[in-house]
Structures are given as structure tokens and as C-alpha cells.
């Protein structure tokens, strides 16, 4: 059961949330986007979340935010899609203070696109630590915004065969079928899209049973499907899905309770109670939010309904996961008209947290982390969206035997017998 933790919540109304290391100091900040107030960054001081750095611009309503190190300077930029045909923002926190919207430069405006975005995800398609942003809009080609060698932004989606037209509502960018980053996009009123990364920065469009063409897709996430990467997503007034890899294709392993149609907005995945198994939180519109536990076993996946507690009735439009107070137990943060709600558990199962870094020192979004926990293989993928860029592994009171971090270019590093209840920063292997 999730309990409300008001002492951890920043004040004021919120239209969106993101967790990003915008100043490159190795400590991610919580970004709160308000519908009518400046963007604010918050940092845990040991007793509370306090504002840090300069306030940003007033942005109004935004879509699903993404963070990633666009230019290889070790600090993350923030992509803010803005629906309803308005201009997207791509914000950089300047070392001297203040914020720069990279789309304000006339040379970069063609990459912004004519249609405002709804969803975005950071993508390290070449595995070199420089990220682009996959952006989806309403009935418009997907975009891939990257920084060129000339210092200008460019949309590379069409040359890379990513520029398919759809009404995107969710996007996942990360290792699903291998170390290289893949791209999965859920769509409103049409087929979902899956693009398999070849490992050289290019993609193949694939139809592997993920199309779900008769439904209206919403937010998606990667899940641990028994040590392999699965995909789950919400559908609007349709059955929610949990796709596990089977024999080169996909099989929907959603339980009847999880699949039960509802006005789903998104699915948030995290081990919220440190028992070693991931929880699936389904964010809803106009009805109670739902909570499930995903338990892999010898016969497949079991998805069990849980009591969402105080988080069930919180009206929210977006959600992120972050260990706000750095106690080793991740919190679920919900943003809505009533402000920011923070929810968590009194977990006692122990934990291990890994923060892989790119060769530039930024969070290695899209890296995968595999571990042997209590004799069972588990998988975590560093989020390419707005969640804290950390692989959080609950121990369930047991032992982590080893953990392997794999970067998008295939480089890997293994830690054996890691200390319990510790956070490891894992630099990119250079030797």
C-alpha cells in the first residue's frame, strides 16, 4: 500500500515533473513544471526539498518530458513537448545561470517541427554518449532531434527510417531486443510502431506483434520479464498490455485484472517496496489509479493487483519515480491540478542502486543493468524519459551476487558481491 508523504512534496500546482542532472554535478534535480509559474528545480538538502538554481521560463501545459545530454558536456538538456500546435522547448541550464531555449535560435527552428510534440524520449542511437530526442506529435511524422557537427539541431528521423506518421502517445527508447537502443511508440487510433536498433545508429521497422492497431495507446515502459526486457503500455478505454518476448515474437501476458479496460494515461514501473519485484502503477483519468506487482516465475509472468492506498485517488496527469530523500526506497511522484503528491512504502528489504555514466559523465540513459538477486536474474533499464536515471534493485532481504552494466555500444562492466544498501556510480569503461 502506498502512503502519502507530504513532507517530501514541493509546493504549488504542477503540470509535469522530470528528474535530470541539468548542471552536470552528478546529482539529479527534481524539475517541477507549473501551468502558470516558472519552471523550478529542487534538491534534497537532508531535511527537505529546496529550490536550487535560477527559475526557468513559464511553460504552461507540456507533454511527456525527456532529459538527456545532447551536446556531450556532461549536463543534461530538457526536451519539453508542447501539444496543441504550440512550439516545443529544448532547454539548457547555462553554467553562469539562466536558461537557454535552443529552439529560439533561428537556425534550429526547422528541427522543432511544425506540429507541437506530445511525447519525447532521449535516445543514444550510436552509443557514444550524445543523445537525441525522439519526439511524437498528433498525426505527424516522428522526429529525431540531434545536434549536428555544425552546432545546429537537425531532424534525422526520415534518413534513419523513423519518420512514420502516427498520433504518438507514448515512446520508449532503450535496449529491448539487445544492447543497442530500440524505439517503441504507442499510437492513438492506429498501429503502434517498433524500430529495432541495428547497433550502428540505424533502425529497421519491425512488426513483432506489438501493433495493437485497434486500440488507443498511451504511456509505455520497459519491464523485467524474467530477466529479459518486456514492454507494457496503457490503452485508452481498451485492455492494457504486458508484452513478453517469446520465440522471436511477443506474447501478451497481462492478467485479467491488469488488462481490465479503463481510461489509462500511462504505466509507471519501479520496485517501490524493495522486495525485488517491480510494481506497475497505472495512471488513470476520472477513476482510481491502479497498482500491481509483476512476479516472474518458471511458468511465465504473474501480475497481481495491490492496494494503491493514498495514491489511488490522486488526480494526476504525469508521474515520475525518484528516491527523493536518498534513503534507498524510491518514491512515486504524481503531478496534477492539486500540486505534487509523493507516495511511498515502508520498505525493509534492502537495495542496490546503480548510476551508469556516459564517457562524458552524464547519466547513461538507455544502459541496461542485469543482476543476480537471491538466485534470480533481474533486469533494469536506465530510463530515457523523465524518471530518475538510476537502476534500482530491491534485494528482498537477500543477496545481490553480481551486477552487470551494459552501455548502448555494447561495452560492459561487472561488479561481483557488491555491498548491500549502497549506491554505485559506474563510469564508462575506458580500459
Amino acid at each position: 500500500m502506498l502512503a502519502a508523504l507530504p513532507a517530501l512534496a514541493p509546493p504549488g500546482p504542477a503540470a509535469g515533473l522530470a528528474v535530470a542532472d541539468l548542471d552536470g554535478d552528478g546529482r539529479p534535480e527534481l524539475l517541477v513544471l507549473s501551468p502558470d509559474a516558472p519552471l523550478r528545480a529542487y534538491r534534497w538538502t537532508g531535511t527537505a526539498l529546496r529550490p536550487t538554481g535560477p527559475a526557468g521560463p513559464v511553460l504552461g501545459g507540456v507533454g511527456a518530458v525527456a532529459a538527456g545530454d545532447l551536446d556531450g558536456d556532461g549536463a543534461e538538456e530538457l526536451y519539453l513537448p508542447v501539444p496543441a500546435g504550440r512550439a516545443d522547448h529544448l532547454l539548457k541550464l547555462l553554467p553562469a545561470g539562466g536558461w537557454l531555449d535552443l529552439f529560439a535560435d533561428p537556425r534550429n527552428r526547422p528541427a522543432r517541427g511544425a506540429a507541437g510534440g506530445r511525447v519525447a524520449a532521449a535516445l543514444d542511437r550510436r552509443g557514444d554518449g550524445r543523445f537525441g530526442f525522439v519526439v511524437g506529435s498528433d498525426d505527424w511524422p516522428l522526429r529525431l532531434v540531434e545536434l549536428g557537427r555544425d552546432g545546429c539541431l537537425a531532424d534525422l528521423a526520415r534518413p534513419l527510417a523513423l519518420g512514420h506518421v502516427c498520433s504518438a502517445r507514448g515512446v520508449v527508447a532503450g535496449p529491448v531486443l539487445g544492447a543497442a537502443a530500440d524505439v517503441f511508440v504507442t499510437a492513438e487510433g492506429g498501429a503502434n510502431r517498433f524500430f529495432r536498433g541495428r547497433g550502428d545508429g540505424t533502425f529497421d521497422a519491425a512488426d513483432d506483434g506489438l501493433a495493437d492497431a485497434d486500440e488507443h495507446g498511451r504511456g509505455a515502459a520497459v519491464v523485467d520479464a524474467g530477466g529479459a526486457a518486456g514492454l507494457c503500455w496503457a490503452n485508452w478505454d481498451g485492455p492494457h498490455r504486458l508484452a513478453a518476448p517469446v520465440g522471436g515474437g511477443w506474447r501478451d501476458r497481462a492478467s485479467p485484472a491488469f488488462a481490465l479496460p479503463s481510461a489509462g494515461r500511462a504505466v509507471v514501473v519501479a520496485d517501490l517496496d524493495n522486495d525485488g519485484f517491480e510494481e506497475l502503477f497505472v495512471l488513470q483519468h476520472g477513476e482510481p489509479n491502479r497498482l500491481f506487482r509483476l512476479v516472474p516465475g518458471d511458468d511465465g509472468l504473474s501480475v497481481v493487483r495491490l492496494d494503491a492506498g493514498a495514491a489511488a485517488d490522486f488526480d494526476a496527469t504525469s508521474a515520475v519515480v525518484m528516491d527523493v530523500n536518498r534513503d534507498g526506497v524510491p518514491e512515486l511522484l504524481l503531478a496534477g491540478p492539486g500540486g505534487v503528491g509523493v507516495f511511498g512504502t515502508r520498505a525493509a528489504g534492502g537495495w542496490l542502486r546503480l548510476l551508469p555514466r556516459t564517457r562524458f559523465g552524464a547519466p547513461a540513459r538507455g544502459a541496461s543493468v542485469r543482476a543476480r538477486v537471491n538466485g534470480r536474474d533481474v533486469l533494469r533499464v536506465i530510463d530515457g524519459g523523465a524518471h530518475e536515471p538510476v537502476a534500482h534493485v530491491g534485494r528482498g532481504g537477500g543477496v545481490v551476487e553480481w551486477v552487470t552494466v551494459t552501455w548502448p555500444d555494447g561495452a560492459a562492466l561487472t561488479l561481483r558481491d557488491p555491498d548491500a544498501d549502497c549506491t554505485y556510480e559506474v563510469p564508462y569503461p575506458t580500459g
Side-chain angles (χ1 to χ4, degrees):
M1 179 185 296
L2 294 173
L5 306 173
L8 301 184
L17 300 167
V19 185
D21 183 7
L22 296 177
D23 56 8
D25 69 348
R27 297 179 298 168
E29 294 83 32
L30 173 66
L31 287 304
V32 179
L33 293 83
S34 172
D36 53 12
L39 168 70
R40 289 285 350 192
Y42 291 84
R43 176 168 289 162
W44 180 253
T45 63
T47 57
L49 280 170
R50 304 291 186 193
T52 181
V58 178
L59 300 166
V62 299
V65 180
D69 183 5
L70 180 77
D71 52 11
D73 67 350
E76 294 192 295
E77 282 70 48
L78 199 65
Y79 196 103
L80 300 154
V82 182
R86 292 181 291 154
D88 291 353
H89 304 281
L90 181 49
L91 297 183
K92 182 177 184 65
L93 181 61
L94 299 174
W99 297 77
L100 174 65
D101 188 345
L102 299 179
F103 282 138
D105 187 331
R107 299 176 302 167
N108 293 332
R109 287 177 185 169
R112 185 174 62 188
R118 276 191 173 269
V119 292
L123 171 67
D124 183 2
R125 64 179 178 90
R126 295 179 298 262
D128 64 359
R130 291 182 175 89
F131 291 81
F133 293 96
V134 180
V135 184
S137 306
D138 282 326
D139 196 25
W140 198 261
L142 297 171
R143 287 179 286 136
L144 175 58
V145 179
E146 290 188 2
L147 189 66
R149 294 182 180 178
D150 60 356
C152 297
L153 297 175
D155 178 7
L156 300 181
R158 294 197 180 210
L160 295 173
L162 290 175
H164 289 253
V165 176
C166 64
S167 290
R169 292 295 184 272
V171 59
V172 169
V176 177
L177 297 180
D182 307 307
V183 177
F184 175 62
V185 180
T186 59
E188 164 82 15
N192 300 331
R193 304 283 186 175
F194 185 82
F195 305 91
R196 181 167 187 170
R198 293 177 176 175
D200 60 358
T202 63
F203 299 86
D204 288 320
D207 182 7
D208 294 321
L210 300 172
D212 214 11
D214 294 330
E215 303 300 335
H216 302 285
R218 291 297 185 265
V222 178
V223 297
D224 177 11
L231 290 164
C232 66
W233 65 94
N235 281 317
W236 185 265
D237 287 338
H240 311 307
R241 306 295 192 189
L242 197 162
V246 177
W250 298 89
R251 180 181 176 187
D252 186 5
R253 297 304 305 268
S255 67
F258 181 78
L260 184 67
S262 66
R265 291 182 185 269
V267 181
V268 178
V269 179
D271 183 359
L272 296 171
D273 57 6
N274 282 345
D275 67 349
F277 301 103
E278 291 179 320
E279 277 71 54
L280 312 179
F281 183 82
V282 184
L283 190 64
Q284 307 268 64
H285 174 70
E287 54 187 292
N289 302 315
R290 302 176 183 176
L291 183 67
F292 301 84
R293 176 173 291 124
L294 177 62
V295 182
D298 294 338
D299 58 347
L301 298 174
S302 176
V303 189
V304 181
R305 182 76 180 263
L306 304 176
D307 184 354
D313 296 323
F314 193 92
D315 180 20
T317 56
S318 65
V320 298
V321 173
M322 178 187 188
D323 182 5
V324 176
N325 57 355
R326 300 183 184 178
D327 65 350
V329 184
E331 282 82 37
L332 174 71
L333 289 78
L334 304 179
V340 179
V342 181
F343 304 89
T345 65
R346 295 179 178 177
W351 49 275
L352 180 69
R353 288 166 61 81
L354 294 107
L355 289 77
R357 301 291 183 186
T358 68
R359 64 192 71 201
F360 306 111
R365 296 183 186 268
S368 61
V369 175
R370 286 177 167 80
R372 177 68 59 82
V373 184
N374 302 331
R376 181 175 61 88
D377 291 341
V378 303
L379 170 72
R380 302 289 186 263
V381 173
I382 307 300
D383 179 68
H387 300 294
E388 186 177 12
V390 171
H392 181 94
V393 179
R395 295 190 294 109
V399 175
V400 179
E401 301 172 33
W402 53 260
V403 59
T404 297
V405 180
T406 304
W407 282 260
D409 64 350
L413 184 67
T414 297
L415 303 174
R416 299 194 179 277
D417 299 319
D419 292 336
D421 302 342
C422 286
T423 297
Y424 285 86
E425 291 197 26
V426 188
Y428 179 84
T430 56

